[in-house]
PDB file of all heavy atoms in Angstrom:
ATOM      1  N   GLU A  97     -19.293  -1.099  -6.174  1.00 97.00           N
ATOM      2  CA  GLU A  97     -19.639  -2.514  -5.953  1.00 97.00           C
ATOM      3  C   GLU A  97     -19.174  -2.960  -4.573  1.00 97.00           C
ATOM      4  O   GLU A  97     -19.905  -3.630  -3.843  1.00 97.00           O
ATOM      5  CB  GLU A  97     -18.974  -3.399  -7.015  1.00 97.00           C
ATOM      6  CG  GLU A  97     -19.689  -3.445  -8.332  1.00 97.00           C
ATOM      7  CD  GLU A  97     -18.977  -4.362  -9.330  1.00 97.00           C
ATOM      8  OE1 GLU A  97     -18.437  -5.410  -8.910  1.00 97.00           O
ATOM      9  OE2 GLU A  97     -18.968  -4.016 -10.520  1.00 97.00           O
ATOM     10  N   GLN A  98     -17.942  -2.593  -4.211  1.00 97.00           N
ATOM     11  CA  GLN A  98     -17.402  -2.973  -2.902  1.00 97.00           C
ATOM     12  C   GLN A  98     -18.170  -2.290  -1.779  1.00 97.00           C
ATOM     13  O   GLN A  98     -18.456  -2.916  -0.749  1.00 97.00           O
ATOM     14  CB  GLN A  98     -15.911  -2.617  -2.817  1.00 97.00           C
ATOM     15  CG  GLN A  98     -15.243  -3.116  -1.553  1.00 97.00           C
ATOM     16  CD  GLN A  98     -15.182  -4.631  -1.496  1.00 97.00           C
ATOM     17  OE1 GLN A  98     -14.742  -5.269  -2.441  1.00 97.00           O
ATOM     18  NE2 GLN A  98     -15.623  -5.212  -0.391  1.00 97.00           N
ATOM     19  N   ALA A  99     -18.521  -1.030  -1.969  1.00 98.00           N
ATOM     20  CA  ALA A  99     -19.264  -0.295  -0.945  1.00 98.00           C
ATOM     21  C   ALA A  99     -20.621  -0.959  -0.681  1.00 98.00           C
ATOM     22  O   ALA A  99     -21.023  -1.116   0.471  1.00 98.00           O
ATOM     23  CB  ALA A  99     -19.450   1.164  -1.363  1.00 98.00           C
ATOM     24  N   VAL A 100     -21.313  -1.350  -1.759  1.00 97.00           N
ATOM     25  CA  VAL A 100     -22.602  -2.036  -1.605  1.00 97.00           C
ATOM     26  C   VAL A 100     -22.399  -3.330  -0.822  1.00 97.00           C
ATOM     27  O   VAL A 100     -23.135  -3.627   0.119  1.00 97.00           O
ATOM     28  CB  VAL A 100     -23.261  -2.306  -2.980  1.00 97.00           C
ATOM     29  CG1 VAL A 100     -24.414  -3.278  -2.856  1.00 97.00           C
ATOM     30  CG2 VAL A 100     -23.724  -0.997  -3.615  1.00 97.00           C
ATOM     31  N   GLU A 101     -21.370  -4.085  -1.205  1.00 96.00           N
ATOM     32  CA  GLU A 101     -21.079  -5.349  -0.521  1.00 96.00           C
ATOM     33  C   GLU A 101     -20.791  -5.124   0.964  1.00 96.00           C
ATOM     34  O   GLU A 101     -21.197  -5.917   1.813  1.00 96.00           O
ATOM     35  CB  GLU A 101     -19.864  -5.992  -1.197  1.00 96.00           C
ATOM     36  CG  GLU A 101     -19.718  -7.469  -0.949  1.00 96.00           C
ATOM     37  CD  GLU A 101     -18.601  -8.061  -1.795  1.00 96.00           C
ATOM     38  OE1 GLU A 101     -18.733  -8.077  -3.033  1.00 96.00           O
ATOM     39  OE2 GLU A 101     -17.595  -8.497  -1.190  1.00 96.00           O
ATOM     40  N   ASP A 102     -20.092  -4.017   1.274  1.00 96.00           N
ATOM     41  CA  ASP A 102     -19.698  -3.722   2.657  1.00 96.00           C
ATOM     42  C   ASP A 102     -20.753  -2.935   3.431  1.00 96.00           C
ATOM     43  O   ASP A 102     -20.568  -2.660   4.618  1.00 96.00           O
ATOM     44  CB  ASP A 102     -18.387  -2.930   2.676  1.00 96.00           C
ATOM     45  CG  ASP A 102     -17.210  -3.722   2.139  1.00 96.00           C
ATOM     46  OD1 ASP A 102     -17.315  -4.967   2.057  1.00 96.00           O
ATOM     47  OD2 ASP A 102     -16.190  -3.095   1.789  1.00 96.00           O
ATOM     48  N   GLY A 103     -21.821  -2.504   2.751  1.00 96.00           N
ATOM     49  CA  GLY A 103     -22.849  -1.702   3.417  1.00 96.00           C
ATOM     50  C   GLY A 103     -22.439  -0.259   3.642  1.00 96.00           C
ATOM     51  O   GLY A 103     -22.998   0.423   4.498  1.00 96.00           O
ATOM     52  N   ALA A 104     -21.474   0.232   2.869  1.00 97.00           N
ATOM     53  CA  ALA A 104     -21.028   1.628   2.986  1.00 97.00           C
ATOM     54  C   ALA A 104     -21.889   2.512   2.083  1.00 97.00           C
ATOM     55  O   ALA A 104     -22.243   2.115   0.977  1.00 97.00           O
ATOM     56  CB  ALA A 104     -19.555   1.754   2.597  1.00 97.00           C
ATOM     57  N   ASP A 105     -22.206   3.718   2.550  1.00 97.00           N
ATOM     58  CA  ASP A 105     -23.076   4.599   1.781  1.00 97.00           C
ATOM     59  C   ASP A 105     -22.324   5.533   0.839  1.00 97.00           C
ATOM     60  O   ASP A 105     -22.933   6.261   0.060  1.00 97.00           O
ATOM     61  CB  ASP A 105     -23.981   5.417   2.706  1.00 97.00           C
ATOM     62  CG  ASP A 105     -23.197   6.344   3.629  1.00 97.00           C
ATOM     63  OD1 ASP A 105     -21.960   6.185   3.756  1.00 97.00           O
ATOM     64  OD2 ASP A 105     -23.821   7.230   4.239  1.00 97.00           O
ATOM     65  N   GLU A 106     -20.991   5.530   0.932  1.00 98.00           N
ATOM     66  CA  GLU A 106     -20.219   6.381   0.022  1.00 98.00           C
ATOM     67  C   GLU A 106     -18.842   5.794  -0.240  1.00 98.00           C
ATOM     68  O   GLU A 106     -18.372   4.923   0.487  1.00 98.00           O
ATOM     69  CB  GLU A 106     -20.112   7.824   0.546  1.00 98.00           C
ATOM     70  CG  GLU A 106     -19.360   8.002   1.823  1.00 98.00           C
ATOM     71  CD  GLU A 106     -19.440   9.424   2.386  1.00 98.00           C
ATOM     72  OE1 GLU A 106     -20.118  10.306   1.822  1.00 98.00           O
ATOM     73  OE2 GLU A 106     -18.803   9.658   3.421  1.00 98.00           O
ATOM     74  N   ILE A 107     -18.244   6.297  -1.321  1.00 98.00           N
ATOM     75  CA  ILE A 107     -16.859   5.973  -1.647  1.00 98.00           C
ATOM     76  C   ILE A 107     -16.067   7.266  -1.517  1.00 98.00           C
ATOM     77  O   ILE A 107     -16.622   8.360  -1.672  1.00 98.00           O
ATOM     78  CB  ILE A 107     -16.731   5.354  -3.059  1.00 98.00           C
ATOM     79  CG1 ILE A 107     -17.209   6.327  -4.130  1.00 98.00           C
ATOM     80  CG2 ILE A 107     -17.486   4.052  -3.132  1.00 98.00           C
ATOM     81  CD1 ILE A 107     -16.961   5.845  -5.554  1.00 98.00           C
ATOM     82  N   CYS A 108     -14.781   7.156  -1.219  1.00 98.00           N
ATOM     83  CA  CYS A 108     -13.968   8.335  -0.939  1.00 98.00           C
ATOM     84  C   CYS A 108     -12.867   8.505  -1.976  1.00 98.00           C
ATOM     85  O   CYS A 108     -12.117   7.568  -2.259  1.00 98.00           O
ATOM     86  CB  CYS A 108     -13.344   8.231   0.449  1.00 98.00           C
ATOM     87  SG  CYS A 108     -14.570   8.177   1.774  1.00 98.00           S
ATOM     88  N   ILE A 109     -12.780   9.714  -2.501  1.00 98.00           N
ATOM     89  CA  ILE A 109     -11.683  10.105  -3.383  1.00 98.00           C
ATOM     90  C   ILE A 109     -10.701  10.855  -2.497  1.00 98.00           C
ATOM     91  O   ILE A 109     -11.078  11.831  -1.837  1.00 98.00           O
ATOM     92  CB  ILE A 109     -12.170  11.041  -4.518  1.00 98.00           C
ATOM     93  CG1 ILE A 109     -13.393  10.464  -5.235  1.00 98.00           C
ATOM     94  CG2 ILE A 109     -11.021  11.389  -5.450  1.00 98.00           C
ATOM     95  CD1 ILE A 109     -13.163   9.332  -6.162  1.00 98.00           C
ATOM     96  N   ILE A 110      -9.426  10.405  -2.459  1.00 98.00           N
ATOM     97  CA  ILE A 110      -8.488  10.998  -1.493  1.00 98.00           C
ATOM     98  C   ILE A 110      -7.286  11.666  -2.150  1.00 98.00           C
ATOM     99  O   ILE A 110      -6.334  12.021  -1.463  1.00 98.00           O
ATOM    100  CB  ILE A 110      -8.054   9.950  -0.446  1.00 98.00           C
ATOM    101  CG1 ILE A 110      -7.272   8.798  -1.058  1.00 98.00           C
ATOM    102  CG2 ILE A 110      -9.273   9.427   0.318  1.00 98.00           C
ATOM    103  CD1 ILE A 110      -6.592   7.904  -0.020  1.00 98.00           C
ATOM    104  N   GLY A 111      -7.311  11.866  -3.461  1.00 97.00           N
ATOM    105  CA  GLY A 111      -6.248  12.611  -4.113  1.00 97.00           C
ATOM    106  C   GLY A 111      -5.591  11.847  -5.223  1.00 97.00           C
ATOM    107  O   GLY A 111      -5.869  10.667  -5.412  1.00 97.00           O
ATOM    108  N   GLY A 112      -4.779  12.503  -5.949  1.00 96.00           N
ATOM    109  CA  GLY A 112      -4.348  13.887  -5.895  1.00 96.00           C
ATOM    110  C   GLY A 112      -5.211  14.824  -6.735  1.00 96.00           C
ATOM    111  O   GLY A 112      -6.367  14.557  -7.044  1.00 96.00           O
ATOM    112  N   ALA A 113      -4.580  15.948  -7.108  1.00 97.00           N
ATOM    113  CA  ALA A 113      -5.286  17.062  -7.706  1.00 97.00           C
ATOM    114  C   ALA A 113      -6.056  16.688  -8.971  1.00 97.00           C
ATOM    115  O   ALA A 113      -7.214  17.068  -9.132  1.00 97.00           O
ATOM    116  CB  ALA A 113      -4.306  18.205  -8.000  1.00 97.00           C
ATOM    117  N   ALA A 114      -5.438  15.931  -9.871  1.00 97.00           N
ATOM    118  CA  ALA A 114      -6.112  15.592 -11.135  1.00 97.00           C
ATOM    119  C   ALA A 114      -7.334  14.716 -10.878  1.00 97.00           C
ATOM    120  O   ALA A 114      -8.373  14.881 -11.541  1.00 97.00           O
ATOM    121  CB  ALA A 114      -5.143  14.891 -12.081  1.00 97.00           C
ATOM    122  N   ILE A 115      -7.240  13.824  -9.919  1.00 98.00           N
ATOM    123  CA  ILE A 115      -8.378  12.946  -9.612  1.00 98.00           C
ATOM    124  C   ILE A 115      -9.461  13.735  -8.882  1.00 98.00           C
ATOM    125  O   ILE A 115     -10.645  13.568  -9.154  1.00 98.00           O
ATOM    126  CB  ILE A 115      -7.906  11.708  -8.835  1.00 98.00           C
ATOM    127  CG1 ILE A 115      -6.989  10.909  -9.767  1.00 98.00           C
ATOM    128  CG2 ILE A 115      -9.081  10.865  -8.362  1.00 98.00           C
ATOM    129  CD1 ILE A 115      -6.293   9.765  -9.144  1.00 98.00           C
ATOM    130  N   PHE A 116      -9.059  14.642  -7.985  1.00 98.00           N
ATOM    131  CA  PHE A 116     -10.041  15.523  -7.352  1.00 98.00           C
ATOM    132  C   PHE A 116     -10.790  16.316  -8.430  1.00 98.00           C
ATOM    133  O   PHE A 116     -12.014  16.424  -8.396  1.00 98.00           O
ATOM    134  CB  PHE A 116      -9.375  16.507  -6.385  1.00 98.00           C
ATOM    135  CG  PHE A 116      -9.012  15.922  -5.036  1.00 98.00           C
ATOM    136  CD1 PHE A 116      -7.824  16.290  -4.418  1.00 98.00           C
ATOM    137  CD2 PHE A 116      -9.857  15.051  -4.355  1.00 98.00           C
ATOM    138  CE1 PHE A 116      -7.481  15.793  -3.165  1.00 98.00           C
ATOM    139  CE2 PHE A 116      -9.527  14.544  -3.112  1.00 98.00           C
ATOM    140  CZ  PHE A 116      -8.341  14.916  -2.515  1.00 98.00           C
ATOM    141  N   GLU A 117     -10.051  16.874  -9.375  1.00 98.00           N
ATOM    142  CA  GLU A 117     -10.672  17.696 -10.417  1.00 98.00           C
ATOM    143  C   GLU A 117     -11.644  16.880 -11.267  1.00 98.00           C
ATOM    144  O   GLU A 117     -12.749  17.324 -11.575  1.00 98.00           O
ATOM    145  CB  GLU A 117      -9.595  18.324 -11.302  1.00 98.00           C
ATOM    146  CG  GLU A 117     -10.146  19.334 -12.264  1.00 98.00           C
ATOM    147  CD  GLU A 117      -9.076  20.154 -12.950  1.00 98.00           C
ATOM    148  OE1 GLU A 117      -7.875  19.942 -12.702  1.00 98.00           O
ATOM    149  OE2 GLU A 117      -9.466  21.022 -13.754  1.00 98.00           O
ATOM    150  N   ALA A 118     -11.258  15.656 -11.634  1.00 98.00           N
ATOM    151  CA  ALA A 118     -12.125  14.804 -12.451  1.00 98.00           C
ATOM    152  C   ALA A 118     -13.351  14.336 -11.673  1.00 98.00           C
ATOM    153  O   ALA A 118     -14.443  14.202 -12.249  1.00 98.00           O
ATOM    154  CB  ALA A 118     -11.330  13.600 -12.961  1.00 98.00           C
ATOM    155  N   ALA A 119     -13.214  14.097 -10.376  1.00 98.00           N
ATOM    156  CA  ALA A 119     -14.313  13.561  -9.572  1.00 98.00           C
ATOM    157  C   ALA A 119     -15.219  14.637  -8.986  1.00 98.00           C
ATOM    158  O   ALA A 119     -16.368  14.348  -8.644  1.00 98.00           O
ATOM    159  CB  ALA A 119     -13.744  12.691  -8.445  1.00 98.00           C
TER     160      ALA A 119
END
Side-chain angles (χ1 to χ4, degrees):
E97 279 181 37
Q98 186 66 51
V100 167
E101 200 173 294
D102 295 343
D105 63 346
E106 65 187 2
I107 61 173
C108 297
I109 310 285
I110 64 168
I115 295 173
F116 281 141
E117 188 169 1

